[in-house]
Amino acid sequence: MTVTELDYLPWRWPPAYDERPSVRDDRHDLTYAQLAGWVDATAAQLALYGVGHGSVVAIMLPNRIELLVAMLGAWRLGAAATPINPAFTVNEADYQITDADATVVVNDGPDAPNGGRPAIAVDDLWRSRPDPDVLPVAITSPDDLALLIYTSGSTGRPKGVMLSHANLSAMATMMASHLQITRDDHCLLVLPLFHVNAICISFLTPMSVGGRLTVLRRFRPLEFLAAVEEHRPTYFSAVPTIYSHLVSQPAEVITDTSSVRFAICGAAPASKQLLTATEQRLGIGLIEGYGLTEATCASTANPLDGPRKVGTVGVALPGQRVAIMAPDGTFQPTGERGEVVIQGANVMRGYLNRPEASADALGDGWLHTGDVGILDDDGYLRIVDRIKDMIIRGGENIYPKEIETVLHGHPAVLEAAVVGGPHTVYGEVPVAYVTPYPGTTLDVDELYARCRAQLTKIKVPVAIIVVDAIPKNPVGKTDKPALRQALQQP
């Protein structure tokens, strides 16, 4: 398979796939032929709303097959999809819909955010075409924009990561090769489908080789373990927080995991203790990997059969180059730390309408990750620090600037600084420090209410601490390391 074959697209599936099971959730259980038919019907419906080559379809749904159908329907017309976190507030959702210039929104119904655009309620999606003979010819090409996945940045406003079909095909090919995914594999999807991990690793990879997928609506430990026993998956991908919940179950909770060949751990650093405890508790091999949305999800992973070095995130996936770069642009030798940089067909096209940010990330021909790492003699990568001012809460990236912008909107807030505080389950959670304008009094309850109204629940600070002054470093910038250090103290 080459990275331009786009074998995950329904209209490219061979007839031999027709009766094979493809995807199911708690409402539907579809063969490949049934899924392809539903995609064609939805594409015909989207075309009536003006969706065509170069359009964008926004999809704001929880995990369910219809999210995948709407995405594939957009691709059937040469359009892109931008999946939206269904927990977003109206403010957050409308921003993404508007920034992406979505032609139409597929959502839960009339009360869901739509950014002022036409909307299709999920229960109104067509399952069959009124006129079976009328459907635009599929013109999807590798260079077409496929996904706009939004990720926050230092400016506080999320940026749309532009991923082409060539990017997606490259990622599906790399993962299928590295993890030896075949038509006999069955993935259990538990991560949210507004993330590229769930789309690429759990859905596109098995679909590209004739495998199957079971979609769970949400993660609940006992429900997840029951699903493993019932559906007999061969692999799944999750974040450290999920594994932490699983190993914390009472000893009497015993699950038959014999069908699982391996599980993937990514999106946030995991301790050696957690990785070891998970393998012992569940009796499965855990493969830790590393990547980011801008690289279409994954860039390194520990081998399936070769040595798995606990504490590393493995070796570069087939077709990718991973290097360590010094601040002056030269490459660091083995064992020396520097910024992790990546090359490969999986690297994004850039950020939507953000030429300066795109140039910063890609200008020298390498994707600059903002993460600090070390490569060992065998090519295994160890992540040792983060350049970016990011909080990772249970695998979800939270950028302090976005929260700080909301806090600064309160008329009594002079300064605001948000850092990650330690948490036994989620790893990090946002904690805010604020100072009032002289002569004013800050009402912390008002600040919490403001955050809850404008931010997703996971971004709302777990604590808002009013201080007389926020510490500064010698050049006058907020000393966030000092704030983090203070939170580490008992």
Side-chain angles (χ1 to χ4, degrees):
M1 182 193 297
T2 68
V3 298
T4 58
E5 288 182 355
L6 313 189
D7 287 359
Y8 52 81
L9 297 174
W11 50 99
R12 292 175 180 258
W13 291 335
Y17 284 9
D18 283 355
E19 299 309 312
R20 290 183 60 83
S22 60
V23 295
R24 64 181 169 197
D25 60 11
D26 56 356
R27 298 185 180 191
H28 308 285
D29 191 345
L30 305 178
T31 65
Y32 273 81
Q34 289 169 331
L35 176 58
W38 195 352
V39 168
D40 280 354
T42 295
Q45 184 180 16
L46 292 173
L48 294 179
Y49 284 79
V51 175
H53 191 267
S55 301
V56 175
V57 176
I59 309 169
M60 188 174 181
L61 294 172
N63 279 13
R64 54 190 297 178
I65 284 179
E66 287 87 346
L67 190 159
L68 301 174
V69 168
M71 181 176 69
L72 293 170
W75 294 349
R76 179 73 169 76
L77 302 171
T82 185
I84 302 172
N85 184 344
F88 269 3
T89 64
V90 171
N91 175 60
E92 293 166 314
D94 284 357
Y95 168 78
Q96 182 172 333
I97 293 166
T98 302
D99 189 73
D101 193 21
T103 299
V104 66
V105 182
V106 179
N107 59 23
D108 269 330
D111 295 329
N114 58 34
R117 311 296 170 105
I120 303 172
V122 62
D123 290 336
D124 293 333
L125 285 176
W126 289 359
R127 291 293 303 271
S128 60
R129 285 178 281 151
D131 186 345
D133 298 323
V134 178
L135 182 66
V137 176
I139 53 175
T140 310
S141 71
D143 291 334
D144 285 340
L145 181 65
L147 288 174
L148 279 172
I149 304 291
Y150 274 73
T151 181
S152 295
S154 58
T155 62
R157 276 299 198 181
K159 301 188 296 292
V161 175
M162 297 188 292
L163 301 177
S164 68
H165 280 287
N167 294 146
L168 302 188
S169 185
M171 181 53 52
T173 302
M174 293 169 180
M175 292 307 296
S177 173
H178 190 75
L179 298 175
Q180 303 171 30
I181 304 297
T182 72
R183 59 182 290 173
D184 296 324
D185 276 299
H186 175 193
C187 181
L188 182 63
L189 186 154
V190 65
L191 295 177
L193 275 165
F194 56 85
H195 278 319
V196 74
N197 185 311
I199 294 172
C200 288
I201 309 307
S202 298
F203 176 54
L204 297 184
T205 296
M207 290 298 103
S208 70
V209 295
R212 67 186 304 188
L213 172 70
T214 294
V215 178
L216 300 185
R217 185 171 290 257
R218 65 184 69 84
F219 172 74
R220 289 176 178 165
L222 294 180
E223 291 180 4
F224 175 80
L225 293 173
V228 170
E229 286 200 336
E230 177 183 357
H231 299 302
R232 310 293 294 163
T234 61
Y235 80 97
F236 57 86
S237 180
V239 297
T241 298
I242 286 178
Y243 293 113
S244 177
H245 282 298
L246 293 177
V247 300
S248 298
Q249 295 306 301
E252 58 267 23
V253 176
I254 300 174
T255 304
D256 179 3
T257 60
S258 59
S259 67
V260 180
R261 293 200 295 123
F262 62 88
I264 302 168
C265 182
S271 68
K272 294 181 181 180
Q273 293 83 357
L274 176 60
L275 296 172
T276 301
T278 301
E279 291 194 344
Q280 292 176 345
R281 177 66 190 267
L282 298 181
I284 56 177
L286 201 58
I287 296 175
E288 191 174 13
Y290 165 78
L292 60 164
T293 302
E294 288 86 343
T296 319
C297 182
S299 288
T300 70
N302 272 277
L304 185 63
D305 294 328
R308 284 186 288 126
K309 295 187 180 182
V310 177
T312 78
V313 290
V315 297
L317 294 178
Q320 294 193 49
R321 293 180 64 197
V322 176
I324 305 299
M325 187 175 286
D328 62 2
T330 60
F331 293 105
Q332 296 282 50
T334 298
E336 294 294 325
R337 68 180 57 197
E339 183 180 15
V340 180
V341 293
I342 298 166
Q343 285 183 337
N346 56 299
V347 171
M348 69 170 178
R349 179 186 299 179
Y351 296 110
L352 179 68
N353 299 325
R354 306 290 201 281
E356 292 184 1
S358 297
D360 287 343
L362 302 169
D364 63 356
W366 291 86
L367 171 62
H368 287 255
T369 67
D371 293 311
V372 179
I374 297 172
L375 285 170
D376 70 14
D377 291 334
D378 299 318
Y380 285 71
L381 176 66
R382 181 162 60 92
I383 302 298
V384 297
D385 205 347
R386 293 200 301 273
I387 297 173
K388 297 176 181 179
D389 187 16
M390 183 197 298
I391 299 165
I392 301 180
R393 179 194 183 276
E396 296 281 354
N397 294 346
I398 300 173
Y399 285 81
K401 184 66 176 177
E402 187 177 3
I403 305 171
E404 291 164 0
T405 298
V406 172
L407 292 169
H408 277 130
H410 190 285
V413 171
L414 172 62
E415 288 187 295
V418 176
V419 296
H423 192 279
T424 55
V425 173
Y426 297 112
E428 292 179 307
V429 289
V431 175
Y433 291 86
V434 294
T435 61
Y437 276 97
T440 65
T441 301
L442 277 174
D443 185 333
V444 172
D445 289 337
E446 287 183 8
L447 295 179
Y448 278 123
R450 182 179 184 85
C451 290
R452 284 192 290 267
Q454 299 189 40
L455 297 167
T456 308
K457 184 178 179 180
I458 65 168
K459 299 176 187 176
V460 176
V462 300
I464 299 177
I465 303 168
V466 180
V467 294
D468 293 332
I470 291 176
K472 304 293 193 298
N473 63 22
V475 296
K477 293 185 178 181
T478 300
D479 190 354
K480 289 194 172 181
L483 294 175
R484 295 189 190 97
Q485 184 62 35
L487 294 174
Q488 297 288 338
Q489 297 172 359

